[in-house]
Amino acid sequence: MDRFPNIAHFEDLPRPMGPGGISLSIADLCVRFDGLDPKLLESARGRYAPFLSDQRPQHTVTLYPGSAAYLDPAADGYFRALERPLGGARLYLSTDFAALWAEGTEAGILRVSSPEDGEATLRAMENYLRWVTAGLALRREAFVLHAAGLVREGKAYVFFGPSGAGKSTVAALSQGCGLLSDDLVLLLRREGRWMAAATPFKGALSQSAKKAGVFPLEGLYRLVQAPRHALKVLPSAQGLATLLASCPFVTDPATRHDRLMPLAADCCRLAGVQELEFAKDSGFWESIAGEKRDG
Amino acid sequence: MASSEHFKRNPEVSWRTIEGQSVLVFNREGEVQVLNEVGTYVWEHIGESIEIMAREIASEYDVSEEEALRDVEAFLEELKGSGAILLAEE
């Protein structure tokens, strides 16, 4: 049976897990993790090397030991998480962590079920980072998208779609391109232009292959696997719908409506959304180049 | 069939109309639906009289008022079934 913590679980806190801290930057968003023990700090430094930062964090989360378990595991073995309001804050929990973030504040609490398990704690940190990045982004004219982001000749090409659509395949087939991510890409509106940024989230490809930075957004492509390559411009409403369907972590209706919708609509309007039918070879780049040539 | 006046939009559905088509996002499930022009007209007028809606649709498109009324009623049932609209007293 699922065990939902109450607000006291985040008020009567034990000592943090350790004295260490690490700051990670995703474009101009910076999140700091405090309360790390030395071993965990070393592991986190290794995993997130391209994203280590000394910027002033916009959000700091502290790690504490938690309860034995929160949610029951999913029957299919997949990651299971829930988000809901709790005492004026947002609660995010999974089988082995519970997190609380009061929106509008710069601090969060992450309680981990198995602090002695370094891998489980790193997973909890990463899931927390995904969640809080999505929230912080929306307050700064940005949003996260389930996508593979690739840099070619200094421009970002973003391929999005649900699990199994082919994001990692597209990334793996793009030799010579810089990798922003094969899982989640941050899209930002800066000075009237849309940009794409690398994220530290673990996908199928190696973290060390990533090209940290921010690049002008050249195109948004909804992935559809097919026997041959083809590009099709999607009408505005369909383009927005497909983009929204690939935006994770926004379960609060007011936030989705007030912040995400206008941003995503503007991104679609300026960058356009195309459907890319692709076969499992790198020939799709020729379709994209051909479309750019033909204008 | 209840009149559209008996329905309200589900607050758990975020929506936006772009170039005459409404995009609906079912926040809990993350599902997204795009409505055509007529569907968008009905969606934007949820809570109003279905007879007036049918009259407007009939004057805009090549259908009779009776046919438009049947279509509006069927579409409202569809929206109700998907959870996009709720009975107003709920």
Side-chain angles (χ1 to χ4, degrees):
Chain A
M1 195 178 69
D2 293 337
R3 287 151 294 274
F4 290 94
N6 57 23
I7 198 74
H9 190 62
F10 299 96
E11 290 172 344
D12 307 326
L13 292 165
R15 289 162 64 93
M17 283 169 50
I22 185 175
S23 293
L24 305 175
S25 278
I26 305 170
D28 50 10
L29 306 180
C30 182
V31 175
R32 181 171 178 81
F33 288 90
D34 275 339
L36 310 189
D37 66 49
K39 200 171 163 196
L40 183 62
L41 182 63
E42 191 187 334
S43 303
R45 281 186 175 280
R47 176 177 287 198
Y48 296 118
F51 300 91
L52 296 176
S53 167
D54 53 10
Q55 281 183 48
R56 182 189 169 276
Q58 286 119 9
H59 182 92
T60 300
V61 56
T62 306
L63 275 72
Y64 299 89
S67 301
Y70 295 97
L71 296 186
D72 292 335
D76 56 12
Y78 280 96
F79 174 71
R80 180 170 174 240
L82 290 174
E83 187 193 359
R84 55 172 56 181
L86 179 66
R90 300 295 293 178
L91 171 70
Y92 183 50
L93 74 165
S94 182
T95 49
D96 49 9
F97 69 85
L100 193 77
W101 174 27
E103 275 246 37
T105 71
E106 295 181 355
I109 294 164
L110 176 59
R111 298 199 65 171
V112 181
S113 297
S114 312
E116 69 291 346
D117 182 342
E119 265 310 306
T121 304
L122 279 172
R123 277 199 306 275
M125 287 172 62
E126 174 136 340
N127 281 303
Y128 185 91
L129 185 61
R130 287 168 183 256
W131 178 57
V132 84
T133 299
L136 288 176
L138 285 170
R139 290 200 245 155
R140 289 170 173 75
E141 299 214 309
F143 62 97
V144 286
L145 185 68
H146 265 308
L150 294 156
V151 179
R152 195 169 161 119
E153 296 171 356
K155 293 172 180 170
Y157 295 79
V158 172
F159 302 86
F160 66 95
S163 292
K167 298 186 288 292
S168 296
T169 306
V170 158
L173 288 169
S174 299
Q175 298 293 319
C177 292
L179 176 68
L180 299 177
S181 174
D182 63 333
D183 183 30
L184 285 175
V185 173
L186 183 71
L187 297 174
L188 320 85
R189 184 169 59 195
R190 295 292 178 265
E191 295 170 2
R193 293 179 70 191
W194 280 91
M195 316 287 283
T199 65
F201 307 119
K202 193 171 159 58
L205 303 181
S206 163
Q207 188 87 305
S208 61
K210 285 185 181 169
K211 189 177 180 73
V214 182
F215 302 89
L217 178 60
E218 185 67 7
L220 287 166
Y221 303 93
R222 165 72 163 86
L223 289 173
V224 178
Q225 296 193 26
R228 65 183 69 81
H229 305 294
L231 268 178
K232 178 174 84 179
V233 175
L234 289 179
S236 304
Q238 274 78 8
L240 176 61
T242 56
L243 199 72
L244 288 168
S246 292
C247 292
F249 304 111
V250 189
T251 54
D252 175 30
T255 302
R256 192 178 273 276
H257 192 76
D258 297 344
R259 295 183 184 162
L260 177 61
M261 281 273 205
L263 281 173
D266 187 65
C267 186
C268 290
R269 186 176 63 82
L270 291 181
V273 179
Q274 297 184 69
E275 189 170 89
L276 173 63
E277 292 185 356
F278 83 104
K280 289 189 175 176
D281 64 62
S282 60
F284 64 88
W285 281 112
E286 287 163 30
S287 301
I288 291 172
E291 181 265 339
K292 296 285 171 204
R293 270 197 309 273
D294 301 341
Chain B
M1 172 72 213
S3 141
S4 165
E5 293 165 71
H6 300 147
F7 291 115
K8 63 180 182 185
R9 291 186 205 98
N10 185 342
E12 292 282 339
V13 176
S14 301
W15 63 283
R16 190 175 183 87
T17 300
I18 294 187
E19 293 178 7
Q21 290 190 282
S22 288
V23 178
L24 276 51
V25 184
F26 294 74
N27 292 301
R28 271 180 209 284
E29 304 84 2
E31 285 175 16
V32 183
Q33 191 180 345
V34 180
L35 305 183
N36 64 18
E37 275 181 44
V38 178
T40 295
Y41 173 83
V42 174
W43 175 255
E44 289 184 335
H45 291 79
I46 291 294
E48 297 175 17
S49 152
I50 59 170
E51 288 77 17
I52 294 174
M53 282 193 215
R55 203 174 307 142
E56 286 291 322
I57 291 167
S59 71
E60 197 67 30
Y61 300 91
D62 188 20
V63 290
S64 68
E65 269 189 52
E66 293 72 27
E67 202 178 336
L69 189 62
R70 278 197 301 276
D71 287 350
V72 170
E73 286 179 339
F75 183 58
L76 288 172
E77 279 299 327
E78 215 177 286
L79 289 174
K80 190 177 150 208
S82 71
I85 58 174
L86 306 169
L87 286 172
E89 57 269 22
E90 278 179 9

